[in-house]
Every structure is written in C-alpha cells, then in structure tokens.
Amino acid sequence: MNETKVIIMATTQRPGWGERLPLLQRVSVEEDHREHYPNHAVRRFCTIALTAIPILTLAIIFFCIAIAGQSDLFGDHQTENAPFLSLPISDGVVSNEYKLPHAAWPASDGISYDKLKQILQDTPSPERAREWSQYYTAGPHMTGKNRSQAEWTAQKWEEFGLQSSLVNYDVYLNYPVDHRLALLKDGEVEFEATLEEDVLEEDPTSGLADRIPTFHGYSASGNVTAPYVYCNYGTYEDYEELQKAGVELEGKIALIKYGGIFRGLKLKRASELGMVGGVIYSDPGDDGEITEENGYKPYPDGPARNPSSVQRGSVEYLSVAPGDPTTIGYPSLPGAPRQSTDGKIPDIPSLPISYAEALPLLKALNGHGPNASSFPSSWHTGGLAYKGIHYNTGPTPSTLTLNLVNTQSYVTTPLWNVLGIINGSIPDEVIIIGNHRDAWIAGGAGDPNSGSAALMEVIRSFSAALAQGWKPLRTLVFASWDGEEYGLLGSTEWVEEYLPWLSEATVAYINVDVGARGPNFQTSAAPVLNKLIEAATGEVLSPNQTVAGQTVRDTWSGHISTMGSGSDFTAFQDFAGVPCIDVGFGAGKGDPVYHYHSNYDSFRWMERFGDPGWGYHVAIAKIIAVLAAELVEAPVIGFSATEYAEGLGRYLESVKAKARTVSDETAAMDPAIEEATFAPLDQAITAFRHTATTFDASAAALSTLLVSLSTTPTTPPALLTDLYASARKVNTKYKLLERQFLYAPGLDSRSWFKHVVFAPGLWTGYAGATFPGIVEALEEGNRTGVGKWVGIVGGRVEGAGKLLGE
C-alpha cells in the first residue's frame, strides 16, 4: 500500500509574500506491492464464484450495469452522465492514485465505523466542557494579545495526539487609547457617559483589572462636536427614509441602534451621506419578551439585559472584503506590501454605548424632528418608551451637541492561529474543523469559547478513537483561529496563503463559533451538506428530553440558512469555493438575553443562564464529531448535488420576484423582459438538476455496494481496486463541485468575493445573498449588468454540470 503522511510545516521561516508554501507536505512511505488478477475475465469469474451472499451478487450486478452506462437496474434508461463510464479497468497495472488507501477499505481502518461513532458519542462530557470554558474565559484574549493561550491550546492538542503548530501573520489593527462622549448644552456638559459596564459583585469577570475598554475594532480616531440624529438601525433604507423626510444628515453625528445589519455598514452609509461620527447602542426593544418592562430582572439577578451592557465589535466593511484591510487578496506575511485602507474601514469615529447611557441622548431628541411612528414599521421597535423616550429623529437644535472623542492606536502586530492534524490514508481529501479563540472581552463564554470548549471535546473524542486503533480514511485538520473578531483575520490570511492546496484537497469546512448560548439548534450550510447535517442531528440526543429519546433533529425546525458572513467560514466558502457548514445552539424568544460582545458574556452568565448543565456544549460537540466522522470515513462522500440544484432553482425564483418588485422605475423589469433575461439561467439550472440527480443516484448505488462489501472479507482485491477507482472519481467530483461556482474576477463592486451563488449582502454584511451579482445589478437599475451576470452565473452552472457529467 502506498501510504502517505501529512505534516505541518514550520512557520518561523517563510518565503516572500508572493510565493505559496504548501501547508501539508506528503512524505512517501515504503510501498506495499499487492498482487492482482492479471486477466479481466478470470477476475469476473472469481468474483461470481466467491460471492455467496445473494444480496451482494445483486449489488455487483447493479454496479456492472452502471459501468455499462445504465443508471437503473432494468436498463431501460440510457444516460451519458453515469460517473463510472470512463473509469479504467484493471489490467494488472494500477496507478498509485487508485491503490487502496488501506487494507480494510471500504470498511474503516482499525475499528468499525459504528464503534468510531459510539466513541464520539460517549466521550464528550459536561465536566470537561465546563473545564475548557473556565480556562478560555479566565482573562482577556484579544487578537494579537493571546499567544500564551494559543500555546496552551497547541500543547493540549499535542497531548491529545495531534501534530500541532502555531501559524502567525502580521496584521494591521487598532487598540483603544482614549474615548469620551458628552452631551453639551450651549457648550456646557449636560451629561457625560462613563463608557463603562457596571462591575458586578456576582460576576468576577466584570471587575477584572485588565478588562477591555468599550471600543470598535477598525474605528477611526477623531474628536468631533456636532448635533446628532437618531437613525433607527442605520440601514440603507433607514437613511433613505430620513432623507425623504427632509432630516438633515450632513455634518451630524448618527445615533444608531444595533441590529438589522452589520455595524460597520451603518457607519459606511453615514459617512457617504456626510455624517461626521457614529454612536451605536443596544435597544431592549430587540430583546423580545425578556425585558425589564415586562417584569424580568436584569442580569445578574435575572435573564433580562443588564442596562450597562455594551456591544463591542468590528466596523470593518466585511461585505467589501474580510481579512487584513492592508493585504486584501494575499496573506499578511512579514514584508508583504500594504494597501491603502480607503473604502475598507470607516473614516469617521464611532463608539458603542449601553442603553442606559443612550437614554439621555434619546430623551434630548424628544420633540425634535419627525417621530418614528411616521416611518415604516421597521422603525417601531424601540423598547424605551416606558422610560420616556419618544424616538424623535432630530436633529438636535444647535444649542445641543455631542462631543465624541475616539483615540485609537493602529499597529501591525502578529496573531497566532493554532493548526492541528490527524493524518488520513488519503492526504488529498481533507476535512477542516475550526473555531476562533479571540474575543473582545475577558470572558466570551458564548462567543467564541462555547465553540472553543466544544472543539476541545471533538478533538478529545477523535483522540480516544485513535487510542483504540482507529486510523482515519481522510485527513482531519483542526484550527483555532485568531483575529476573527476584527474581521475574520486569521482564517482569511490562512486561506489566502494556502489557496492552491485548499483548492486541490479540501472536501469541506465545519465552523463552530457560538457553540451554545441557548437551546435552539441553528445552522447555515452550502446545499451539498444539507442531508449530512440532517442525518447528524438525527443521531445526537437533545439535552431537552421532554419526550424520551428525542434527538436534536426532533427539536430543530429544520431550517438551514444560506451562507453569509460574520464568521470564519467566509474565506473558505466565498474565496476558495470550499463547501461550508456553520453550527451552534442559539437563544429563542423566551430564553435569557445574550450579552453579545459584552463583559457579561461571562463564565458566570453561561453557567447560570446560557447552558447551566453544559449539555448543549456537549451536544454541539457530538454533532460536529458525528458530521466529521461521516465526511472522513464514508467510502463515497455523502454530498448531494441534487440539493444544490434545488437550491439554485429557489434562488432564481427569488431573483425573479425581486426583478418584478424593484421600486425604482428605471430598474423595474416587466414580465416579458424578465423571462427573456433569465431564460438562459433557467435552462442551465434545469440541465444541472437532471445531471445532478443522475450523478447522485449513481453515487448512491456505488455507496450501497461498498457498504455491503465492507462486511465481506472475501471480496477479490482487484475488484476492490476498480471500486476504489470509481469512488475516487466520484469523490473528486463532489470535492470540486463548489469550486465550479467561483468566478475569478469576482463581484463587480467587491472583487475579493469570487462565489457567484453566495456572498454576504452588500448592505447587510452578515445575512447571505444569493446570486449577488445579479441582485446588485438589479438594485442599481443596471439591465446590462443583470444580463452580464445571468450569463456569468449560467456559465458557472453549466461548468458544474459538465464536471458531474463527464
């Protein structure tokens, strides 16, 4: 057997920035020569003679029919898309690519697949999840300031049997120096914000001497004094409504609620309209029923939001490009040339504040400018009316101004990713599992360290399997990213550096960010992974056992969101074309309020309110492990191209609906134009759906056969070699399918994003947009652009069909 191993290469010395260093190096091991039947006819005779089990005989007949170009057992449906048509038939000389990965294939190596999954289900424990959470939340761990935590993580992974390494990048970012926010009347201070969160005796994390100040990552330094305007959520539409109402924005400071869209885009639009600063606060009207107004006590005494809670966060323009804003498109290695940050991060200063300190500012607007009630319903969500807030827009009269001071230190500093690996028998089929480690605050019990604790349990579980003799079929890579909070820095720089290897080898990326902050399972995924997540959740018992034996699948709505941005899957999905899935447990309407990016996202909050028994930490670890095990061990990768085709059809219908309802008369498209414009893409998707269905059916037939053979030790080696060749061809097509939807020049207004099906919305940032090139051209009223992007997308869909049909 031609065995290969994968090692992580040292990162202390790298070539120049323009070179591409392979992440993994294949080291050849002595080849085990295997005798084969030299005669095809003899092999076929022996196959029949040695097969005593009737169902196995039928399975082999089914496979032979597939080779003959027939996708159904009775041979009455001819197809040119069967994936086995051009496979080589063994003639005694087999290429290295098609030699069996290990002697037990198609069964698992070392232990059975069922035993592997049992280990993965039995190993994670609430006690260990709590232990990991307590470590990770014990002190500050900001981007570029957590090397000791990175080293501890790598050491633990080594103890678990993983080969691990720190991978560093030199990134451009900011740290807070000073800030001020004061309401002035005729130049005199009426109210001075503390810009601090209350220290709570019940929560030790909130009072740490080295706790992190409230600030925005990538915010601009500045000292501005100006009247201000209440801008609701600061969406593109909110600013349009203000302009329609005649509210003067130029030269003003924007007072904005968190929610709706990514915080950086609130400031981006404010700056474009001539506003000079931004103040963003969390309004309890977005907390559902769990509010003080409804009689709930605030944290730490109850589940409602603490009034002094402040949401920190990045204001980089994530929907333009994530990663280091000075090295867009290439890694931030030492000596890398640096780009201008213009158009990538805000040019106006901003501060985050609590709703307690927003109250005086909102109250000062009472009676000034239009009231929120005169705007669309999205303006009617304020939750502070019981505190005397009318939600007038302003602007404030000239006698009332805000003094906003924001002083930031911008530096280029190292960050540290931790990479660990379990070598598989197939080195160019790789599953990556990642979570980020950095946080805005000392705690981060939910974001990201519920995911960090879960990842530790996933690794510990696979380590337990290794100790019992398991040897994985495919390679597993684990990542603890740094710099996610500033703008997905660590993962983006790593993907940009290792793009050639990722393009060749990666099957899928599994992301966990906030692993547990409530009881509701939530996921977003590339469509090829839909059925796998449905299956994995059906194997893991829910911590909620109101019905005995119910699984996570039983308690989950079944909704799978489209891929957007806001976490480390972004570069994999949108830049490298690697299919991704993001998983976690979130809060529902009646659950305790989560203090996102606040000091109160602490170990104490998690233990009392977020996941008191640590059961959801364990459940998410099991889901990730079971999902990864299927991806690693299945002889045929369990992707569904048909799900992708169905998704493309739904996305096109949503684009058609948008085309019919675009409000701008210059962009509106009548039905005749719409049908003519979208017909080529409709046809491409229809053809792809047919090809995908045929391909999946053939892949399923091969998978069924291999599963049956995994329990049959008498299968002739030469037949197994041919079957492995078939599996390799199918798996390679599944692996490369997502890459077919990449368009090298990228989207028109943001070329870093290469995927033609998925991207974060240009003016949402987090939420996913489908067929973004077409949608953005529609929104701009650019009919030529719509036609252009219909052609581009159609071409990529046809390419995907060609891949599967060859």
Side-chain angles (χ1 to χ4, degrees), residues 465-804:
L466 289 170
Q468 294 198 36
W470 174 62
K471 298 176 182 178
L473 176 64
R474 300 183 180 90
T475 295
L476 264 171
V477 172
F478 298 92
S480 174
W481 308 115
D482 196 4
E484 188 271 356
E485 293 291 8
Y486 273 86
L488 323 179
L489 303 186
S491 57
T492 299
E493 302 312 311
W494 189 76
V495 169
E496 288 174 343
E497 181 174 11
Y498 296 115
L499 183 62
W501 170 76
L502 287 165
S503 298
E504 176 192 353
T506 313
V507 172
Y509 172 72
I510 302 170
N511 190 67
V512 58
D513 192 327
V514 182
R517 62 177 181 89
N520 295 336
F521 181 70
Q522 299 168 343
T523 184
S524 57
V528 291
L529 286 157
N530 287 356
K531 291 192 177 299
L532 286 173
I533 192 60
E534 290 168 358
T537 53
E539 294 189 43
V540 176
L541 288 177
S542 171
N544 174 8
Q545 287 293 304
T546 52
V547 176
Q550 68 184 4
T551 66
V552 172
R553 179 69 185 90
D554 295 328
T555 62
W556 168 40
S557 68
H559 176 70
I560 301 175
S561 299
T562 56
M563 303 304 295
S565 185
S567 196
D568 289 303
F569 56 78
T570 304
F572 289 92
Q573 184 77 45
D574 297 335
F575 189 76
V578 173
C580 296
I581 186 166
D582 182 66
V583 293
F585 284 96
K589 292 177 64 176
D591 295 316
V593 172
Y594 175 57
H595 293 75
Y596 180 55
H597 289 178
S598 157
N599 277 344
Y600 309 135
D601 179 11
S602 62
F603 181 82
R604 198 267 184 185
W605 179 87
M606 182 61 72
E607 188 153 56
R608 182 171 178 194
F609 292 107
D611 187 14
W614 304 91
Y616 288 97
H617 283 68
V618 170
I620 200 63
K622 290 181 179 180
I623 289 169
I624 293 167
V626 169
L627 176 63
E630 173 65 25
L631 285 165
V632 167
E633 286 300 302
V636 176
I637 297 168
F639 280 4
S640 174
T642 304
E643 285 280 323
Y644 215 128
E646 296 299 330
L648 294 176
R650 292 193 301 272
Y651 308 152
L652 181 56
E653 289 306 311
S654 70
V655 169
K656 290 179 181 179
K658 187 174 187 65
R660 291 191 291 265
T661 58
V662 172
S663 58
D664 187 335
E665 291 182 2
T666 63
M669 307 180 82
D670 63 57
I673 297 176
E674 176 236 312
E675 290 302 324
T677 302
F678 296 112
L681 182 51
D682 243 330
Q683 294 165 5
I685 292 172
T686 298
F688 177 65
R689 184 183 293 111
H690 173 75
T691 303
T693 302
T694 303
F695 184 83
D696 284 345
S698 297
L702 177 58
S703 179
T704 300
L705 172 60
L706 292 175
V707 169
S708 67
L709 289 175
S710 66
T711 59
T712 308
T714 57
T715 307
L719 175 62
L720 286 179
T721 299
D722 282 345
L723 290 172
Y724 179 61
S726 297
R728 278 285 284 178
K729 185 165 186 179
V730 170
N731 290 339
T732 297
K733 290 183 177 185
Y734 273 142
K735 179 178 70 174
L736 299 179
L737 177 60
E738 195 80 39
R739 269 49 120 216
Q740 306 311 304
F741 297 103
L742 297 179
Y743 175 62
L747 299 178
D748 287 338
S749 60
R750 39 191 180 139
S751 60
W752 185 90
F753 289 96
K754 310 296 185 184
H755 209 292
V756 302
V757 180
F758 302 116
L762 180 60
W763 283 105
T764 61
Y766 282 141
T770 52
F771 294 148
I774 302 174
V775 169
E776 287 164 32
L778 275 172
E779 291 174 342
E780 294 169 1
N782 182 352
R783 296 191 186 195
T784 301
V786 171
K788 166 192 165 182
W789 277 101
V790 165
I792 291 170
V793 176
R796 301 321 308 141
V797 173
E798 288 173 356
K802 183 178 180 181
L803 170 75
L804 298 184

Side-chain angles (χ1 to χ4, degrees), residues 233-234 239 256-257 259 261-268 270:
Y233 292 108
Y239 289 118
I256 316 167
K257 290 191 298 185
I261 65 171
F262 180 66
R263 67 185 74 79
L265 300 179
K266 301 171 188 280
L267 301 175
K268 183 176 189 292

Side-chain angles (χ1 to χ4, degrees), residues 76 95 344 692:
D76 59 357
S95 69
K344 302 165 190 173

Side-chain angles (χ1 to χ4, degrees), residues 10-77:
T11 58
T12 52
Q13 294 183 344
R14 278 193 176 99
W17 71 269
E19 299 179 33
R20 290 294 184 270
L21 193 69
L23 166 70
L24 306 178
Q25 176 182 337
R26 299 179 192 173
V27 182
S28 296
V29 181
E30 183 178 356
E31 182 174 334
D32 174 20
H33 293 285
R34 189 180 294 272
E35 293 295 323
H36 300 286
Y37 287 80
N39 184 283
H40 181 67
V42 171
R43 184 175 71 253
R44 183 176 298 171
F45 173 81
C46 291
T47 298
I48 297 172
L50 291 171
T51 304
I53 303 173
I55 190 171
L56 180 57
T57 304
L58 289 174
I60 293 174
I61 293 171
F62 189 101
F63 173 71
C64 293
I65 291 171
I67 291 180
Q70 298 170 352
S71 64
D72 64 300
L73 187 60
F74 301 101
D76 59 357
H77 178 69

